[in-house]
Amino acid sequence: MVATKPPKNQVAEQSDVQSRSKDTILTPRFYTTDFEEMANMDVSSNEEELQAIIAEFKEDYNRHHFVRNDQFDGAWDHIQGEKRKVFVEFLERSCTAEFSGFLLYKELARKLKGRNPILAEGFDLMSRDEARHAGFLNKAMSDFDLQLDLGFLTKSKDYTFFKPKFIFYATYLSEKIGYWRYITIFRHLEQNPEDTIYPIFNFFDNWCQDENRHGDFFAAMMKSQPQFLNDLKARLWCRFFLLSVFATMYLNDIQRKAFYASLGLDAREYDIEVIKKTNASAGRLFPVVLDVEHPQFFAQLDECTKHTAAISEISNSGQNKVLQTLRKIPHITAIGSKLINLYFIKTIRTDNETEVVR
Ligand SMILES: [Fe+2]
Ligand SMILES: [Fe+2]
C-alpha cells in the first residue's frame, strides 16, 4: 500500500498503519492494461468453456457466505504485541490484494461492456467476488480498530501497466496461488482447531473456491489465444511468471514467518507446499512448469531470503538514505543473480500444447 499522506480526518491507528507501510517490490500491486486490445480479443474459439464458467459464476454459491456471524463477537485482545502486528499486516495486505483484483476486474468489465460481452460479463462477476473478499477483510480489520480507506487507496496507488497477455499469466497464477494459500491454511486449521486464533480462517474453504473458479476463467481465456501458450516465447514467459510469482511469495512469507507461526505453521514448509501445488495446477495449462524438486530450487530461494533480511535490517537502521542505498546494492545484486540462476534451471515440458483450442 502506498498511502503515505493520510487525510486529516483519519483515526490515529489508521495513519499508523499507513505510515509504516512501505511500497516495495513485494507490496501487492494495482494493475492496468490495454483495454482496446482486450476489447478486440476474439475468444470465440473457446466460447463454450467460457460460457460454462460464467454460468457457474452466476450460480453464486457464496452469496450468503461472507456474512459476519456471532463467531466474531469476541474480544481480540488476546492477539497482542508482535502477533497483533503481523496479524493486522496480514489482513491489510490481503485486503489490498483482493481490492486490487476488484478494481482491475471492475474496470475491465466497464471498458469491455458492449464490445466484448463474454469477457465483460466474466470480469463483472469476478469483481463481485473480489469486492466481497476485500469487504470481509476490511470488516475484520475493524475488529482491530483499523480500516483501510479503499477510496483513498484507489486514488493514491500507483498502477502498473501490463499488456493483456501478461495480465493473463500473472492473474491466472495469482488466482491459483490464492486458492492454494487459502485452502492450505484452512486444512491445517481444520486438523489443528486450537490454532484458529481468529474466525476469518473458517471462511477460507468456500472463499478459495471463488479464487479457483477465477483461475479457471483466466485459463479458458488463455486457451482461446493459443499464441499465449504454444511457442517458444510463450514458454519463456510462462517460466518467467511462474518464477516471479513463486519468488515474490516466498520472500514475502519468510519475512513474515511470525504470522504463520501464530497459526502453528512453518512459513517455509507452507510456502513449499503452496508452490508445489500451484506449479502442478499450472501444468494443466502452461506448456512448461518449473522443476521445483531440483535441489537448487529452494536452496537458491533460501539464499535470497538471507539478502532480503539484510535489506530490511538496513532499512530499519535509521541510517542516512544514501548510505542505506549503497549498503543495499550488493544484496540486491546477489538476489538478482540467484533469480537468474533459478530462471535457468531446466523447466519441465507439459503436454498441453495439443489440448489448446485452435
Ligand atoms: Fe479474492
Ligand atoms: Fe480471485
Side-chain angles (χ1 to χ4, degrees):
M1 197 186 91
V2 71
T4 47
K5 283 188 222 154
K8 282 187 197 127
N9 61 353
Q10 278 179 320
V11 291
E13 289 89 341
Q14 233 171 309
S15 40
D16 179 48
V17 171
Q18 292 177 340
S19 60
R20 65 179 163 67
S21 303
K22 292 182 195 100
D23 203 28
T24 68
I25 189 87
L26 300 178
T27 315
R29 309 196 92 67
F30 283 20
Y31 295 102
T32 185
T33 190
D34 182 341
F35 296 106
E36 194 56 31
E37 188 189 326
M38 196 81 95
N40 292 324
M41 199 169 273
D42 177 7
V43 294
S44 57
S45 65
N46 200 24
E47 186 173 341
E48 211 177 306
E49 189 182 1
L50 286 161
Q51 293 288 15
I53 300 170
I54 288 174
E56 246 203 294
F57 285 163
K58 284 185 178 162
E59 290 286 329
D60 202 0
Y61 303 110
N62 286 338
R63 184 191 309 240
H64 304 297
H65 182 62
F66 295 98
V67 177
R68 282 170 60 95
N69 52 24
D70 51 16
Q71 293 179 61
F72 288 89
D73 293 346
W76 306 108
D77 294 343
H78 67 279
I79 307 175
Q80 278 303 333
E82 183 64 14
K83 203 193 238 187
R84 192 176 180 98
K85 197 180 137 227
V86 291
F87 191 77
V88 165
E89 194 189 12
F90 165 77
L91 292 177
E92 184 193 348
R93 290 177 64 86
S94 306
C95 184
T96 308
E98 295 280 9
F99 187 63
S100 136
F102 159 74
L103 281 182
L104 175 68
Y105 300 161
K106 192 76 200 166
E107 191 62 1
L108 279 162
R110 209 171 61 81
K111 293 265 173 57
L112 305 186
K113 202 176 171 198
R115 298 193 61 195
N116 198 329
I118 301 175
L119 294 193
E121 189 170 23
F123 283 123
D124 192 46
L125 290 161
M126 291 195 290
S127 77
R128 169 201 70 193
D129 297 340
E130 305 300 14
R132 279 180 193 153
H133 302 166
F136 201 63
L137 281 157
N138 213 8
K139 279 194 196 127
M141 289 185 70
S142 66
D143 288 338
F144 297 87
D145 304 320
L146 296 159
Q147 197 134 48
L148 276 181
D149 184 340
L150 298 177
F152 178 68
L153 196 59
T154 311
K155 288 189 216 98
S156 65
K157 185 82 183 171
D158 289 329
Y159 288 77
T160 306
F161 177 86
F162 263 4
K163 278 175 75 61
K165 120 168 154 175
F166 301 138
I167 289 276
F168 285 168
Y169 295 133
T171 317
Y172 164 74
L173 283 173
S174 78
E175 294 288 2
K176 286 291 175 188
I177 210 166
Y179 165 75
W180 284 112
R181 287 173 66 78
Y182 286 146
I183 195 73
T184 306
I185 291 179
F186 181 82
R187 286 180 187 155
H188 162 75
L189 294 176
E190 207 176 26
Q191 281 157 19
N192 303 276
E194 68 285 0
D195 288 331
T196 309
I197 54 170
Y198 181 67
I200 202 160
F201 305 110
N202 298 331
F203 290 75
F204 275 16
D205 191 12
N206 290 38
W207 186 329
C208 73
Q209 300 305 333
D210 281 344
E211 313 302 8
N212 202 27
R213 280 186 286 270
H214 298 171
D216 290 342
F217 189 74
F218 278 97
M221 281 192 281
M222 275 195 272
K223 285 193 233 165
S224 78
Q225 309 299 310
Q227 73 280 11
F228 293 174
L229 296 169
N230 69 0
D231 59 8
L232 174 67
K233 237 165 56 183
R235 291 197 291 279
L236 295 176
W237 281 119
C238 288
R239 183 180 196 165
F240 172 81
F241 278 96
L242 282 162
L243 181 59
S244 311
V245 169
F246 294 164
T248 307
M249 179 183 80
Y250 198 83
L251 300 186
N252 259 319
D253 285 352
I254 302 296
Q255 276 185 323
R256 292 171 177 80
K257 50 180 179 238
F259 166 72
Y260 295 93
S262 73
L263 301 182
L265 279 164
D266 176 277
R268 188 173 182 274
E269 283 170 20
Y270 167 77
D271 270 44
I272 291 176
E273 166 88 3
V274 169
I275 287 173
K276 287 185 176 175
K277 292 283 207 258
T278 310
N279 198 50
S281 295
R284 290 174 17 216
L285 176 73
F286 284 180
V288 289
V289 288
L290 302 186
D291 183 4
V292 293
E293 301 293 345
H294 191 287
Q296 278 302 307
F297 189 81
F298 288 104
Q300 294 281 331
L301 282 176
D302 287 331
E303 285 297 313
C304 290
T305 64
K306 291 180 191 157
H307 294 285
T308 46
I311 290 171
S312 59
E313 207 171 294
I314 297 169
S315 296
N316 297 329
S317 66
Q319 252 175 352
N320 156 311
K321 291 275 176 226
V322 179
L323 205 60
Q324 279 194 20
T325 311
L326 287 174
R327 287 181 60 208
K328 282 179 191 173
I329 290 172
H331 296 292
I332 295 168
T333 315
I335 293 172
S337 84
K338 293 191 187 343
L339 291 178
I340 291 170
N341 292 344
L342 279 161
Y343 185 81
F344 285 108
I345 293 179
K346 198 171 181 304
T347 50
I348 299 168
R349 286 289 284 267
T350 60
D351 54 4
N352 292 319
E353 286 181 47
T354 48
E355 291 172 22
V356 170
V357 181
R358 285 167 208 281

